[in-house]
Amino acid sequence: MMNFKQFWTKKTLVGLGLGQFLSLLITSTGFSSSELAKKGINAPTSQSFLNYVLLTVVYGSVMLYRRQALKAKWYYYVVLGLVDVEANYLVVKAYQYTSITSVMLLDCWSIPSVMLLTYIFLKTKYRFRKVAGVIVCVAGLVVVVFSDVHAGDRSGGSNPRKGDLLVIAGATLYAISNVSEEFLVKNADRVELMSFLGLFGAIISAIQISIVERNELKSIHWTAGAAFPFFGFSLAMFLFYSFVPVLLKMTGSTMLNLSLLTSDMWAVVIRIFAYHEKVDWMYFLAFFAVTVGLIIYSGGDKDQDQSRADVADEGAERSKRVDEEAGFNNLSRATMAGSSKMGDTSRHDLTASLDGREIMENKNGKDVQGKKS
């Protein structure tokens, strides 16, 4: 039975705080994209391109300064860059065809996808407590969806089926990207991951921009009102990508996706205090549910760490016991071998002394005969 003190571990508090910081960054990118859309700018790949360039310049410089050999194959980063770029593109593109409510609901597909992928490839074990935390978080988001329906904010979109498929595909790619990053950050290096994700992400984005968004970029009239949200989006994404590996290494990709569920709730808070809008009371219930779910999910980490420590201690004790038994056996063999060797030496010395006595007796006999003659 978990007691309340187990929630207040340093790892839990840092994980929850960092998760909400990342959620706020995602919220800020959403508002930046909204401002750009109001100005008629629809270039999601171009917005992400600057983020990848910043990652390459900052982390690539650190990597060149270190001059260390690669800890992972370079083509892993090519695949990761492709998956990450297309995940961002598909989800943003889905807003043109389906409702915000549908995107919010279907984007949750990334959570079970992450759990399945980590279970298969990273051998992550999920206890009932963690599954319960996920269920509570998703239930909170479903409350938000029903709140939107209740408030009459839902719009069908021009092609809901196409939009829904785009969201599911994008959420699946997000899951693959997050699990891959978790594997690489735990088995390779964070700076190396960010450097090559930025490099190949920038290359793939540049190719995609030249094919898909070339005309859109030409039509943009760059003013301060357009440039500020554009660069603000890139800066927020850079910070998001920089801190994601830290959370992945601490708590895993499932906790990351659960933390990002609160981005919609933070958007509501901003709407209330910055734009003085009224929202449905169900939003507050949803925010509370997601917060409780995150605490339930992250609160089990100490138990898992303790069980791992117990297993490690048990393994060490067993190894020590085996070593002691092996040492005792070796000592017994050495004693027996030593006794055998001492016995052989004694027999050899006895034989040598007998032979020496016989030689002396023969010599004395010869001397006596010589005197008699």
Side-chain angles (χ1 to χ4, degrees):
M1 191 79 176
M2 176 182 293
N3 105 31
F4 186 73
K5 289 182 179 179
Q6 290 177 341
F7 288 138
W8 301 103
T9 62
K10 182 179 178 181
K11 182 178 179 182
T12 299
L13 293 175
V14 173
L16 289 172
L18 183 57
Q20 291 315 296
F21 175 66
L22 294 175
S23 183
L24 280 169
L25 288 174
I26 285 295
T27 304
S28 65
T29 60
F31 274 91
S32 298
S33 297
S34 177
E35 289 298 318
L36 290 172
K38 288 178 182 178
K39 299 181 183 300
I41 300 173
N42 183 23
T45 309
S46 300
Q47 292 173 217
S48 300
F49 173 74
L50 186 56
N51 163 53
Y52 291 125
V53 171
L54 286 173
L55 289 173
T56 306
V57 172
V58 174
Y59 290 98
S61 301
V62 176
M63 191 173 173
L64 289 174
Y65 176 78
R66 287 182 176 180
R67 296 183 180 179
Q68 293 179 347
L70 293 182
K71 296 181 180 179
K73 302 294 183 182
W74 64 269
Y75 47 80
Y76 290 166
Y77 297 112
V78 176
V79 176
L80 177 59
L82 178 62
V83 169
D84 195 73
V85 169
E86 299 311 320
N88 289 327
Y89 178 79
L90 289 174
V91 172
V92 174
K93 192 73 174 175
Y95 283 96
Q96 298 179 15
Y97 301 103
T98 190
S99 65
I100 294 176
T101 303
S102 296
V103 174
M104 288 168 56
L105 181 60
L106 294 173
D107 198 37
C108 290
W109 172 251
S110 63
I111 295 173
S113 299
V114 163
M115 295 184 75
L116 179 63
L117 291 171
T118 52
Y119 177 79
I120 294 173
F121 296 104
L122 302 184
K123 309 302 180 185
T124 303
K125 303 295 183 183
Y126 292 100
R127 295 183 176 184
F128 175 76
R129 184 183 294 114
K130 290 192 176 290
V131 175
V134 171
I135 293 172
V136 173
C137 285
V138 175
L141 193 67
V142 171
V143 171
V144 174
V145 174
F146 279 111
S147 177
D148 284 341
V149 174
H150 176 67
D153 291 337
R154 180 175 178 131
S155 58
S158 61
N159 193 340
R161 288 185 180 179
K162 182 177 180 179
D164 292 348
L165 288 174
L166 288 174
V167 176
I168 292 172
T172 304
L173 291 180
Y174 273 136
I176 295 171
S177 175
N178 290 338
V179 174
S180 301
E181 286 186 37
E182 181 180 350
F183 173 80
L184 289 169
V185 79
K186 289 180 178 178
N187 294 277
D189 181 70
R190 173 174 169 263
V191 173
E192 178 180 306
L193 170 63
M194 291 293 98
S195 300
F196 281 92
L197 176 59
L199 176 62
F200 293 115
I203 293 172
I204 294 167
S205 295
I207 295 171
Q208 187 161 307
I209 289 168
S210 65
I211 298 171
V212 179
E213 297 180 2
R214 182 173 54 187
N215 295 329
E216 181 68 29
L217 285 177
K218 289 180 180 178
S219 64
I220 295 175
H221 178 62
W222 291 104
T223 61
F228 182 76
F230 191 91
F231 289 106
F233 175 92
S234 300
L235 179 61
M237 286 296 287
F238 170 75
L239 292 173
F240 177 80
Y241 274 70
S242 297
F243 285 101
V244 159
V246 179
L247 186 62
L248 287 175
K249 192 168 185 178
M250 286 178 58
T251 59
S253 47
T254 303
M255 181 63 177
L256 169 64
N257 283 269
L258 291 175
S259 297
L260 297 184
L261 290 181
T262 59
S263 60
D264 297 305
M265 287 68 165
W266 288 120
V268 172
V269 173
I270 294 173
R271 281 162 55 187
I272 292 172
F273 291 100
Y275 298 99
H276 305 288
E277 295 182 10
K278 292 184 178 180
V279 297
D280 195 83
W281 62 271
M282 296 179 75
Y283 272 105
F284 301 101
L285 178 62
F287 190 89
F288 177 76
V290 172
T291 303
V292 170
L294 287 171
I295 294 174
I296 292 172
Y297 181 88
S298 59
D301 291 338
K302 187 172 181 179
D303 284 348
Q304 283 193 341
D305 293 341
Q306 185 63 41
S307 64
R308 286 173 189 163
D310 292 341
V311 170
D313 291 342
E314 184 180 348
E317 185 65 28
R318 189 181 303 164
S319 176
K320 183 179 179 182
R321 200 181 307 125
V322 169
D323 290 342
E324 287 176 353
E325 290 176 358
F328 178 75
N329 292 336
N330 290 336
L331 181 60
S332 300
R333 291 194 194 99
T335 304
M336 292 175 65
S339 301
S340 176
K341 186 175 180 181
M342 288 176 65
D344 291 341
T345 305
S346 300
R347 285 194 296 270
H348 176 73
D349 293 342
L350 181 60
T351 304
S353 62
L354 290 173
D355 291 342
R357 187 180 301 171
E358 186 176 355
I359 292 169
M360 290 294 294
E361 288 175 354
N362 291 337
K363 185 177 180 182
N364 292 334
K366 288 179 182 179
D367 291 342
V368 171
Q369 285 182 347
K371 288 177 182 180
K372 284 184 180 180
S373 62

